[in-house]
Amino acid sequence: MAKTTQRPWSSVPRPLCWLLAACLLLQLGWRLAQQHSPAQPRPLPAAPPAAVARLASLGEPLAMAKAMLLYLQSFEDQPGVSLPWRQLDYNRLASWLETAQTLDPRSQYALVAASEVYAGVADPQRARRMLAFVAASFAADPDRRWPAMAQAALVAKHQLHDLPLALSYARQLRQLATGPQVPSWVREMEAFILQDMDQLDSARLVIGGLIASGQISDPHELAFLARRLDELAKQIAAKKAKMPP
């Protein structure tokens, strides 16, 4: 059996000892810096394509859609940091919502999150991105998705103070959301926004068209609209009276 010999520490070259000590100090310093540095939020990753998400769902696309939306809801609470919505990449956020909507098209979950949660961010550009997602989704199933579109019109009017955008959404509601389960006030939004924009003649035409089309059948609603027509007629007459001859 070969005899092993151990060399004393004193035989180790001094530069090598200094190098080992420096490495140890660097390792300790790095660990301490990690413990004391503030936590950094992770950016929202890109959403998986719908086809990939559907394949990964193993035949359960509805469950996958809900899991994706729950992931989005919990993304703002990260270890050691709370990520404000306005720091999210809203293009990626819209892609996540779109993928979830594609996997579960009958659900209102993604649209409600977009119109009532994420659109409330104090950033007009991000809010508009959410409204654009809602408007694009609305056209595919207007009789089911009208609540989110109506909320988008209200956000455009009251939060963004963008009456033309609100009018565009309200007009799409009147033209596309014509099912019997859609309440009449949804179709009347366009007339009210036109009145806010001082387009009284157009508002009167919209209300008159709703009455003539038979889309409004409730007697109370018809009486209400008739009163609105009278009020508009008076406002138009007063406006014309102020105009120079």
Side-chain angles (χ1 to χ4, degrees):
M1 183 174 178
K3 184 178 179 180
T4 59
T5 59
Q6 291 184 348
R7 298 175 61 187
W9 274 100
S10 57
S11 63
V12 178
R14 189 172 295 274
L16 184 57
C17 291
W18 285 114
L19 179 61
L20 290 174
C23 290
L24 180 60
L25 290 174
L26 285 174
Q27 177 73 8
L28 291 174
W30 183 69
R31 288 288 185 185
L32 287 174
Q34 274 196 322
Q35 292 178 356
H36 292 89
S37 61
Q40 297 297 321
R42 292 180 292 108
L44 183 65
V52 174
R54 189 182 300 278
L55 184 64
S57 72
L58 301 178
E60 297 290 344
L62 305 188
M64 175 61 80
K66 289 182 173 57
M68 292 176 66
L69 293 171
L70 289 175
Y71 168 74
L72 282 182
Q73 284 186 339
S74 61
F75 190 80
E76 60 189 269
D77 293 324
Q78 300 181 15
V81 64
S82 180
L83 184 64
W85 292 337
R86 63 181 307 160
Q87 291 186 11
L88 288 175
D89 183 328
Y90 263 46
N91 286 325
R92 289 188 172 184
L93 176 61
S95 296
W96 279 92
L97 294 172
E98 185 176 0
T99 298
Q101 182 78 48
T102 302
L103 294 180
D104 189 3
R106 295 178 63 84
S107 172
Q108 302 275 358
Y109 197 164
L111 292 172
V112 169
S115 61
E116 298 192 8
V117 179
Y118 296 116
V121 66
D123 183 319
Q125 186 173 358
R126 284 180 166 81
R128 289 177 188 277
R129 182 65 185 90
M130 283 298 99
L131 299 190
F133 162 71
V134 172
S137 301
F138 164 75
D141 192 355
D143 285 344
R144 188 188 303 278
R145 298 175 179 174
W146 65 264
M149 189 61 161
Q151 176 65 19
L154 294 175
V155 171
K157 177 182 176 182
H158 297 291
Q159 180 179 322
L160 299 178
H161 305 290
D162 188 340
L163 287 178
L165 182 62
L167 178 63
S168 170
Y169 292 163
R171 183 161 293 160
Q172 292 179 59
L173 282 166
R174 177 179 63 81
Q175 294 173 341
L176 300 178
T178 57
Q181 73 278 18
V182 180
S184 55
W185 64 263
V186 172
R187 292 185 287 270
E188 296 166 11
M189 290 180 70
E190 181 187 4
F192 299 144
I193 295 174
L194 283 168
Q195 189 171 359
D196 291 339
M197 297 174 72
D198 202 28
Q199 298 185 22
L200 303 180
D201 289 317
S202 298
R204 187 171 61 172
L205 287 174
V206 169
I207 293 177
L210 286 173
I211 295 175
S213 67
Q215 296 183 57
I216 310 296
S217 57
D218 183 88
H220 299 289
E221 288 286 336
L222 289 172
F224 171 74
L225 292 179
R227 290 196 299 272
R228 299 289 296 185
L229 280 178
D230 291 339
E231 292 172 4
L232 285 171
K234 293 176 182 176
Q235 293 177 18
I236 292 171
K239 187 177 179 180
K240 289 181 177 177
K242 293 180 181 178
M243 295 177 64

